[in-house]
Amino acid sequence: MSYIAIAGKNIYYEEYGSKEKPTLVYLHGGPGESCLTYTYQAQKLGEFFHVISFDQYGVFRSDAIPEEQKAGVKYHVELIEQMRVALGIESWIPLGHSFGGMLALLYAHTYSDHVDAVIYDCPMWSTLY
């Protein structure tokens, strides 16, 4: 359980499993739901993957989004990419649940060179960014 500074924001994240295994980044639902909801899944997935699970910007243990700031889906995708770079991960597998599915889709489209596969878990497709 740690914090990482991304673009001047403190983002809370957790790691599970060995760094020798393929990395999976768990993108939780919401917006507004914490990675805390997915601790059991992250632990189990950690038996097969190196899992990064984090509270998205503006959620629970990560920094709050100031009222005057616009932080839409594209902004969150940029933060996810900056997190990948800061953690020194060459490529990973986004697993997106609900709202996280939309983030996973846009991330994979934008940063396909750093995506090994994408997993959608009950994705939400209906929100515009």
Side-chain angles (χ1 to χ4, degrees):
M1 299 175 211
S2 303
Y3 284 88
I4 188 166
I6 304 291
K9 290 119 181 78
N10 289 313
I11 305 297
Y12 174 86
Y13 76 102
E14 300 174 356
E15 289 186 80
Y16 301 91
S18 169
K19 291 183 180 183
E20 302 303 313
K21 297 177 181 178
T23 300
L24 185 147
V25 59
Y26 205 110
L27 305 174
H28 64 73
E33 195 170 289
S34 168
C35 72
L36 183 62
T37 306
Y38 304 100
T39 300
Y40 177 78
Q41 291 93 325
Q43 290 171 341
K44 294 308 279 180
L45 287 166
E47 296 173 13
F48 306 96
F49 297 95
H50 170 228
V51 178
I52 304 293
S53 184
F54 67 99
D55 289 345
Q56 295 162 11
Y57 178 44
V59 176
F60 197 36
R61 295 163 288 195
S62 291
D63 283 351
I65 301 172
E67 284 186 36
E68 66 278 0
Q69 182 181 8
K70 292 185 180 182
V73 175
K74 287 183 180 180
Y75 187 81
H76 283 277
V77 166
E78 293 304 318
L79 291 178
I80 294 165
E81 174 60 5
Q82 290 179 39
M83 176 182 281
R84 182 196 64 76
V85 171
L87 292 172
I89 297 167
E90 181 61 33
S91 62
W92 53 11
I93 302 165
L95 186 162
H97 172 77
S98 189
F99 173 75
M102 187 171 45
L103 292 176
L105 175 67
L106 187 57
Y107 181 88
H109 176 74
T110 306
Y111 295 104
S112 59
D113 290 347
H114 301 290
V115 174
D116 297 322
V118 183
I119 301 169
Y120 299 106
D121 176 27
C122 301
M124 178 182 73
W125 305 118
S126 60
T127 301
L128 299 175
Y129 55 89

